[in-house]
Amino acid sequence: MAELKPYMGSTYYLWLYLPSIPAAVIFAILFAIATGAHCYRLFRTRLWFCLPFIVGGIMEVIGYCARAAAHDQTDQLTPYIIQNMLILLPPVLFAASIYMVLGRIILAVHGESYSLIRPNILTKVFVAGDVASFCVQGGGGGIMAQGGNASTGEKIIVGGLIIQIIMFGLFIITAALFQRRYQKYKVDALVYDTMGWKASMLMLYGVSALIMIRSIFRVIEFAAGQDGYFLKNEWTVYVFDSVLMLIVMIVFFWFWPDNLKQTQDVQWTSANGTEINLGENRNGSSDGRFGTPNYSESVSK
């Protein structure tokens, strides 16, 4: 019968509970199904910027398999580190695709002048922050893998998670300000509604919020350490991490961003017969102020 065992015969325990085999297997299967669905969508639409979601999903599957294997090996470092890191890191990969979706939304609706950061730079800035978070969390996991340095590794992981939370906070602010400015100032904003970009924006807000909640939970978990409630109770991992990340994969699959294709901006004709590019704002500039010129509703292609 499985029982908790100290690491290398010492007084230190890697686990503070016996990991549940049924729970780990169930989530390994669920993430495998979600990952398979993402693979289908990816190869059908060839939106390669969504590939990080598949890599993250594969990591989740392996992580939960390792967690199930750890049930009978609570004194072994290898399954503990594998499950810990491969369940901890996937949200960083999910975030990379999420950041790139916003850039494509801005380009698809010709809203470059309404974004605080140019789309080509926006993606690079947030993905760079994402890579930094990934490296810091991975480095913390590497220190933990050496054995006997769990406290130091946990502190480094907390630092990586804080980077992730900050970047997501800035991302949500950037996305919200873009949508507000775009809908307020762009003359032909309604023309692009059939593209479904607003639904894609809501998807971004939703999955970003879920990942932020999960990251805050992980910060509290690691900051509290071995004496904290979260590390002593397995249900918290499944409620505040597993379930939330599975929902993120499902929501992203459901609102798959294959609708975000850049089209030629619309040309309208004014009352005096002058063609006007409605990619500009209402006074023909990009400073956010506008007048109310008289446009006729005849569109010239």
Side-chain angles (χ1 to χ4, degrees), residues 72-137:
D72 297 312
Q73 305 176 58
T74 54
D75 59 338
Q76 298 297 311
L77 188 62
T78 299
Y80 174 79
I81 292 298
I82 291 175
Q83 66 83 33
N84 194 29
M85 297 311 301
L86 296 189
I87 294 175
L88 179 69
L89 293 176
V92 181
L93 297 173
F94 299 160
S97 290
I98 291 168
Y99 294 150
M100 287 185 274
V101 169
L102 177 59
R104 279 158 176 77
I105 289 175
I106 294 172
L107 292 174
V109 299
H110 297 278
E112 293 90 331
S113 61
Y114 305 93
S115 176
L116 293 177
I117 309 173
R118 293 203 308 269
N120 60 327
I121 297 177
L122 180 148
T123 298
K124 294 176 183 177
V125 168
F126 286 109
V127 171
D130 208 41
V131 171
S133 174
F134 186 93
C135 291
V136 172
Q137 292 182 58

Side-chain angles (χ1 to χ4, degrees), residues 12 14 80 140-141 143-145 147-159 222-226 231:
Y12 178 76
L14 296 171
Y80 174 79
I143 291 175
M144 292 178 65
N149 296 297
S151 178
T152 302
E154 288 172 355
K155 291 177 182 177
I156 294 175
I157 289 174
V158 167
F222 283 111
Q226 295 282 316
L231 282 179

Side-chain angles (χ1 to χ4, degrees), residues 31 69 71 139 149 155 180 220 232 247 254:
F31 275 108
H71 177 82
N149 296 297
K155 291 177 182 177
R180 179 180 178 276
I220 297 173
K232 292 181 178 179
I247 293 175
W254 190 262

Side-chain angles (χ1 to χ4, degrees), residues 274-293:
T274 303
E275 285 191 348
I276 298 173
N277 182 356
L278 294 184
E280 299 175 347
N281 63 17
R282 302 189 186 189
N283 71 343
S285 66
S286 58
D287 59 4
R289 298 184 298 274
F290 59 92
T292 54

